[in-house]
Amino acid sequence: MHRQFLGHYQELTERVGIKQAQQFWDHVSQRPGQPDPIAQTTVLKGAAGRPKDPGWSRTIHYELTSSARIDYQYCDKYKASFDGDPHPVVVILTINYSSH
């Protein structure tokens, strides 16, 4: 995680607790394209789920709690530049703390 996003992660832990925040972190860092065994994940359909670019996944909706959700996409072989090394990347699109 880049240092500029540390405040977002701290807010996440304050709002949902360290256990749920760590569970989300473990999920996106190890198996972002697979269903989480504990939390509900849904692949969004239609325009809301469109990949941001070729090679990216559809948007995945991750339910941390009944009132906290994160939408993200991942790319297994992201390259920061044309001749860069391909590596996995996850991008958080939205964090929502309101109830449905």
Side-chain angles (χ1 to χ4, degrees):
M1 174 186 320
H2 193 278
R3 68 181 179 278
Q4 77 185 47
F5 299 110
L6 182 59
H8 293 290
Y9 186 74
Q10 289 171 332
E11 180 181 10
L12 180 66
T13 60
E14 290 169 6
R15 289 182 176 247
V16 302
I18 190 71
K19 185 177 178 181
Q20 273 85 4
Q22 186 64 51
Q23 178 182 322
F24 173 74
W25 179 257
D26 291 344
H27 171 75
V28 296
S29 67
Q30 298 170 16
R31 55 191 184 286
Q34 300 174 6
D36 190 287
I38 300 168
Q40 181 177 345
T41 57
T42 306
V43 177
L44 298 182
K45 298 179 182 185
R50 283 195 189 119
K52 60 189 254 68
D53 286 312
W56 287 82
S57 70
R58 292 189 67 79
T59 301
I60 298 172
H61 183 79
Y62 185 99
E63 301 255 352
L64 284 122
T65 67
S66 61
S67 62
R69 297 167 306 287
I70 297 178
D71 291 344
Y72 70 89
Q73 291 184 6
Y74 67 93
C75 180
D76 288 328
K77 296 180 181 178
Y78 178 78
K79 290 170 60 171
S81 64
F82 178 75
D83 58 346
D85 294 327
H87 58 281
V89 171
V90 172
V91 62
I92 308 270
L93 300 172
T94 62
I95 300 174
N96 190 324
Y97 296 113
S98 63
S99 62
H100 287 120

